[in-house]
């Protein structure tokens, strides 16, 4: 949010007395990640406070109670902020340093997701892809099936052998399915919640 916000005395009091809203929204709805720029708790809290100020400025007492209104504004504002930050960083490769001083790609040094988290994430991904596959036909359907196999650890050449197709076709299927999935509201809503 780049617009300067001017608060009246009453609006300042509203913000000061409801700062806990920002804390609870971050705790319950946003994933804090101290290893990714913009997703540290302090950054999220600062952005949430700006949205709380915005809620105070745009608040109409006749329509709702302030906490109810502020929760919606702060939550939606932080989700928009996270999407914007993620979109700006999705092309970066994360490098971390191991205990031996070697560079590692991806997770911070010493971090290993537990088996339950890994299985749960994979199961949710497979369920989303299976649900999306029902809505697609032809190449897009093959692509979602190929993406599900990729999520299970299959290589493109192995998928091509299963379908008796060249690997380049599998890549094209995945590309088409990815494009359709990016435009699918039901698939995207499953990713967000």
């Amino acid at each position: 949010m780049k617009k300067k916000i001017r608060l009246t005395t009453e609006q300042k009091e509203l913000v000061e007395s409801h700062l806990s809203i920002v804390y609870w929204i971050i705790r319950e709805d946003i994933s804090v990640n101290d290893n990714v720029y913009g997703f540290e708790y302090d950054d999220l809290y600062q952005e949430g406070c700006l949205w709380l100020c915005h809620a105070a400025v745009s608040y109409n007492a006749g329509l709702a109670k302030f906490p109810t209104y502020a929760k919606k504004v702060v939550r939606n504002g932080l989700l928009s902020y996270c999407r914007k930050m993620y979109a700006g960083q999705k092309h970066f490769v994360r490098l971390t340093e191991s205990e031996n001083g070697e560079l590692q790609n991806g997770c911070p040094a010493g971090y290993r997701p537990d088996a339950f988290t890994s299985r749960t994430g994979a199961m949710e991904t497979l369920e989303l892809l299976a649900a999306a596959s029902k809505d697609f036909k032809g190449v897009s359907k093959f692509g979602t099936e190929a993406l599900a196999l990729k999520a299970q650890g299959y290589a493109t050449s192995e998928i091509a052998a299963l379908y008796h197709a060249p690997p380049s076709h599998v890549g094209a299927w995945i590309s088409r399915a990815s494009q359709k999935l990016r435009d699918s509201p039901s698939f995207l809503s499953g990713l967000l919640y």
Side-chain angles (χ1 to χ4, degrees):
M1 185 184 319
K2 296 180 181 182
K3 187 171 88 172
K4 286 190 176 183
I5 302 172
R6 304 256 183 222
L7 299 174
T8 64
T9 306
E10 296 83 23
Q11 293 167 343
K12 286 179 185 177
E13 290 172 4
L14 267 178
V15 170
E16 289 172 3
S17 62
H18 291 91
L19 283 172
S20 63
I21 289 173
V22 177
Y23 167 80
W24 285 108
I25 295 295
I26 292 171
R27 181 178 170 145
E28 294 180 6
D29 296 329
I30 307 294
S31 295
V32 176
N33 187 341
D34 292 329
N35 297 309
V36 179
Y37 173 76
F39 290 93
E40 298 97 348
Y41 179 81
D42 292 341
D43 292 333
L44 293 168
Y45 188 80
Q46 180 178 351
E47 186 70 20
C49 288
L50 289 172
W51 283 103
L52 186 63
C53 291
H54 181 69
V57 168
S58 60
Y59 175 61
N60 182 346
L63 297 177
K65 293 184 178 183
F66 182 73
T68 305
Y69 176 71
K71 286 176 188 174
K72 285 256 188 211
V73 171
V74 172
R75 182 179 182 277
N76 291 338
L78 281 172
L79 289 174
S80 295
Y81 167 80
C82 290
R83 286 186 193 112
K84 179 181 168 191
M85 293 302 291
Y86 176 74
Q89 296 179 23
K90 67 182 174 184
H91 299 292
F92 291 101
V93 175
R94 308 251 181 264
L95 295 177
T96 57
E97 192 173 341
S98 71
E99 293 174 359
N100 302 333
E102 300 168 343
L103 288 179
Q104 298 176 330
N105 184 3
C107 298
Y111 174 77
R112 298 284 180 262
D114 62 2
F116 176 76
T117 304
S118 298
R119 261 195 321 273
T120 304
M123 287 188 311
E124 289 172 349
T125 302
L126 293 174
E127 287 173 8
L128 282 171
L129 288 171
S133 180
K134 293 176 185 174
D135 297 335
F136 297 155
K137 295 178 183 172
V139 173
S140 300
K141 185 171 183 72
F142 288 142
T144 55
E145 292 170 359
L147 281 168
L149 290 170
K150 291 280 264 182
Q152 294 174 39
Y154 285 84
T156 303
S157 58
E158 294 171 325
I159 298 169
L162 288 172
Y163 282 91
H164 305 291
S168 61
H169 288 192
V170 174
W173 299 343
I174 290 173
S175 176
R176 175 69 60 90
S178 298
Q179 181 181 14
K180 288 223 177 194
L181 289 171
R182 282 192 292 272
D183 296 333
S184 168
S186 60
F187 180 77
L188 293 176
S189 67
L191 291 176
L192 297 176
Y193 300 104

